[in-house]
Amino acid sequence: MNPKKRLVTWIGHSDLRAMGETLGGSAPEEVVAPRHAPGNTATGRGPIGTLVSRIDFHRVHLLSDHKGPHENYSRPLEEVVDQFVQWLEVPVTLHRVQLRVPTSYEEVFRVSDEVLRGIWSQMDHKNETLCIHLSSGTPTMAAVWLLLAKTRYPAKLYQTYENEAREEAVPFDIQLDFLPELLKEPDRALHRLATALPSEVEGFEQLVGQSRNLLAAVGRAKRAAIREVNVLLLGESGTGKEMFARAMHRASLRGKNDRDYKRFIAVNCAAIPRELLEGELFGVAKGAATQTEERPGAFELAHEGTLFLDEVGECSLDHQAKLLRALQPRPGDSPCVRWIRRVGGKEEKPFNVRVIAATNRNLLETMAQGGFRDDLYYRLATVTIDLPALRERKPDIPLLANDILARINRDFAATEPGYKPRTLTAAAMRRLREHPWPGNIRELYNVLVQAAVMSDENEIARRDIEASLAQMPAGSATGPFSRHRGEHFNLKQRLREIEAVFIADALEDADNNQTRAAKLLGITQQALSKKLSSPRRNSG
């Protein structure tokens, strides 16, 4: 059965004028003729009238910002719009909205996104298709529709021209092909739209950061999320692979109404003993062993949802073979239908499961060494997404640290009466940026928890961070104290950077009192003041 079509578009003045010309009257622009007045209804029905007369839509949503008197109409625009809705003679839901400037990208985006979000949440996505008409309204409205249809709300696009309607194929990807060009536009509203942070992308609200590496990963994840394909997340331990998988589930059609993640099932393949992993994945049939009760496996529990296989690279070759069989599509089945047989069972049953796998291993190297099946790798890695290590996201460290510390403060305040929220000093934040974070976000969280627990002050100082950091192997430091063998660097510049670190620490310890700080440094206050005002130091 073909899915029903639900149309969304703006009402433009060309639509209202077309109604007037079709209905007739002394002045078509006045649109004063009654609904069934004689007139030429075969041509000139305008963008919306043409589209709904040629395509069968089971529901039409029209947005209108028309209100009050207008020089081209003899009646208030609200009445003209009401007549237009009746004139279409199709089921219409009218959304009256307010726009101060119909050519403002910021306003049009806000209103369009709000209306589409409500429509999207009410749709039966198994049996309905969202359709958007680009030809009606201002060019700004059409541009915003295109952005939303190719990013947040996957939709079919239609255009009308000379009384003909056609589905429009857009031969590019908005996020990778078009946004870089949009960024060159001077319009600041469009710029903000084009550079939406992960927290502004539906489903990815919990991800914090704005570094180029993170945005690239989020872009790939969002594009893959809305498609029924297997995904392999690659990245070091602690880079947030499960958080990414959850975000992709929420951004997919499977997760739109799954706010509590009831259909998101996570299995850590490295944490389950090998002899038990098969039962965890595929379930156990009654009587499979002595005193064994039947129980469903992860594939069954994730039916109509998402199964996250964490550390899939730790599976034995035997388990890999069983996974490959489960992931192998059968002729005529949709891509996510998995045929599963419980341990000790006799029959296979189908379950609709989207699979996202993750590993911190280099599976290509493991494959070359015979430790991972190449056929399973290519089955899992329909789309691969590399998650950047925290050391590759230096601009995100302050954002992450403040976000994590805010959560720590909330958790501590909930159980500790009188707890005073902790904040990070500038020197402490600099120390966080210098650290290479081999444990990534997980290590950052542990360091901040320890610092918040052990600090006697409301402010977490650099010394608190130093005390909380695990002992690092020699040669792994970053910042002004780091140097790799054979590396060329400017000694004078490096010495200025090291001096700046000690000056900043002394000022923090002295509560920004220059006389006390100079005493800690073993120099005069005049010498310290001169160093602080040095142009080379300020520019470095």
Side-chain angles (χ1 to χ4, degrees):
M1 183 179 68
N2 292 329
K4 298 177 180 179
K5 293 182 174 68
R6 187 185 289 251
L7 177 66
V8 183
T9 191
W10 288 90
I11 299 176
H13 281 288
S14 58
D15 296 295
L16 301 182
R17 286 197 299 269
M19 176 181 66
E21 293 171 358
T22 301
L23 294 175
S26 58
E29 290 81 0
E30 294 179 359
V31 197
V32 294
R35 180 180 176 190
H36 295 294
N40 183 1
T41 60
T43 61
R45 291 183 59 85
I48 296 176
T50 297
L51 184 62
V52 300
S53 67
R54 285 159 174 74
I55 306 293
D56 183 22
F57 297 102
H58 87 100
R59 170 62 63 181
V60 175
H61 293 265
L62 300 181
L63 284 70
S64 172
D65 66 320
H66 301 294
K67 63 179 180 179
H70 190 281
E71 59 183 3
N72 291 333
Y73 302 90
S74 63
R75 292 179 293 145
L77 283 175
E78 292 91 342
E79 295 181 16
V80 179
V81 168
D82 289 338
Q83 185 177 3
F84 177 77
V85 169
Q86 293 182 341
W87 173 74
L88 286 178
E89 297 185 322
V90 295
V92 170
T93 299
L94 180 62
H95 302 264
R96 296 190 188 274
V97 299
Q98 292 186 352
L99 292 177
R100 289 182 296 107
V101 183
T103 57
S104 164
Y105 283 103
E106 185 173 27
E107 282 195 76
V108 173
F109 173 79
R110 174 182 53 79
V111 170
S112 303
D113 180 58
E114 182 180 350
V115 172
L116 271 185
R117 189 185 308 121
I119 294 171
W120 187 268
S121 66
Q122 299 171 5
M123 287 179 58
D124 176 4
H125 293 282
K126 291 183 179 179
N127 300 308
E128 280 189 279
T129 298
L130 180 65
C131 303
I132 293 177
H133 188 206
L134 301 176
S135 301
S136 185
T138 66
T140 300
M141 294 169 179
V144 169
W145 280 145
L146 187 61
L147 288 170
L148 291 172
K150 296 293 286 185
T151 54
R152 295 190 174 184
Y153 311 99
K156 287 186 176 182
L157 299 172
Y158 286 91
Q159 292 208 79
T160 49
Y161 180 69
E162 293 186 347
N163 300 314
E164 294 296 330
R166 69 178 185 275
E167 183 178 342
E168 193 66 56
V170 180
F172 52 79
D173 188 279
I174 289 289
Q175 290 194 350
L176 288 189
D177 302 331
F178 197 52
L179 287 188
E181 293 302 318
L182 284 177
L183 293 180
K184 299 176 184 178
E185 292 291 330
D187 190 292
R188 294 177 61 189
L190 182 57
H191 178 84
R192 285 195 295 273
L193 169 60
T195 56
L197 300 179
S199 59
E200 299 170 348
V201 178
E202 187 176 6
F204 291 79
E205 296 88 350
Q206 295 183 357
L207 297 180
V208 176
Q210 57 187 13
S211 63
R212 180 179 301 178
N213 290 336
L214 179 67
L215 293 179
V218 169
R220 288 181 64 85
K222 188 174 184 298
R223 292 166 61 194
I226 61 176
R227 295 169 173 87
E228 298 281 74
V229 294
N230 298 331
V231 176
L232 180 62
L233 302 177
L234 306 171
E236 297 176 6
S237 179
T239 50
K241 293 187 286 293
E242 181 169 345
M243 183 174 288
F244 254 80
R246 287 178 175 271
M248 293 179 66
H249 171 70
R250 281 283 297 275
S252 70
L253 295 180
R254 296 169 180 266
K256 285 296 181 183
N257 298 314
D258 188 21
R259 295 296 173 184
D260 297 326
Y261 295 99
K262 293 181 179 178
R263 289 180 291 153
F264 178 90
I265 305 299
V267 175
N268 189 324
C269 300
I272 300 173
R274 290 190 173 187
E275 62 272 15
L276 300 180
L277 182 58
E278 184 177 355
E280 290 293 323
L281 291 174
F282 306 118
V284 178
K286 186 175 182 179
T290 305
Q291 296 182 337
T292 299
E293 295 293 329
E294 68 174 354
R295 57 185 174 86
F299 276 93
E300 294 183 52
L301 295 173
H303 181 55
E304 301 293 343
T306 302
L307 173 60
F308 176 55
L309 299 176
D310 197 10
E311 303 301 348
V312 71
E314 305 304 317
C315 290
S316 67
L317 290 173
D318 182 54
H319 288 140
Q320 291 176 33
K322 291 181 171 63
L323 266 177
L324 178 64
R325 178 177 176 82
L327 297 177
Q328 184 70 34
R330 296 188 178 184
D333 284 345
S334 65
C336 290
V337 171
R338 324 293 183 184
W339 289 84
I340 304 301
R341 179 189 290 117
R342 288 182 174 180
V343 175
K346 296 182 180 180
E347 63 174 323
E348 291 183 321
K349 293 183 179 180
F351 298 95
N352 192 314
V353 180
R354 198 271 182 83
V355 174
I356 301 176
T359 182
N360 59 14
R361 281 190 172 196
N362 185 327
L363 289 188
L364 295 178
E365 289 184 1
T366 308
M367 286 163 52
Q369 298 166 2
F372 200 84
R373 296 178 61 111
D374 56 353
D375 46 6
L376 177 59
Y377 173 83
Y378 291 115
R379 181 63 61 195
L380 291 170
T382 305
V383 174
T384 59
I385 300 173
D386 286 292
L387 304 192
L390 190 52
R391 63 182 173 275
E392 299 168 346
R393 299 174 52 191
K394 288 292 185 182
D396 292 341
I397 289 177
L399 298 173
L400 282 164
N402 287 327
D403 181 74
I404 291 171
L405 190 57
R407 285 188 277 129
I408 293 171
N409 285 331
R410 288 195 297 269
D411 292 342
F412 285 5
T415 58
E416 182 183 334
Y419 172 81
K420 294 183 179 179
R422 304 295 196 255
T423 59
L424 288 160
T425 65
M429 189 67 80
R430 283 197 301 271
R431 184 64 185 93
L432 294 178
R433 288 176 63 93
E434 292 169 2
H435 190 65
W437 301 111
N440 293 294
I441 299 174
R442 190 176 294 124
E443 182 187 4
L444 175 62
Y445 176 83
N446 290 342
V447 165
L448 290 174
V449 167
Q450 189 174 161
V453 169
M454 297 300 174
S455 175
D456 294 326
E457 307 295 334
N458 294 344
E459 285 191 327
I460 295 175
R462 183 186 180 96
R463 59 181 175 272
D464 299 314
I465 298 299
E466 293 281 8
S468 301
L469 283 167
Q471 185 67 33
M472 297 300 300
S476 62
T478 61
F481 298 97
S482 66
R483 178 180 181 268
H484 299 290
R485 296 293 297 272
E487 174 190 0
H488 295 281
F489 63 95
N490 186 312
L491 179 59
K492 290 183 178 180
Q493 174 65 25
R494 187 63 61 91
L495 290 175
R496 286 197 297 269
E497 292 173 353
I498 293 173
E499 181 182 75
V501 170
F502 282 104
I503 289 175
D505 288 349
L507 285 169
E508 181 181 340
D509 291 343
D511 295 324
N512 283 321
N513 184 300
Q514 289 191 19
T515 301
R516 290 166 53 196
K519 187 175 182 180
L520 290 173
L521 292 167
I523 60 177
T524 65
Q525 191 273 333
Q526 291 82 358
L528 175 58
S529 179
K530 184 177 179 180
K531 290 180 181 295
L532 290 173
S533 61
S534 169
R536 287 189 301 178
R537 181 182 184 276
N538 294 333
S539 63

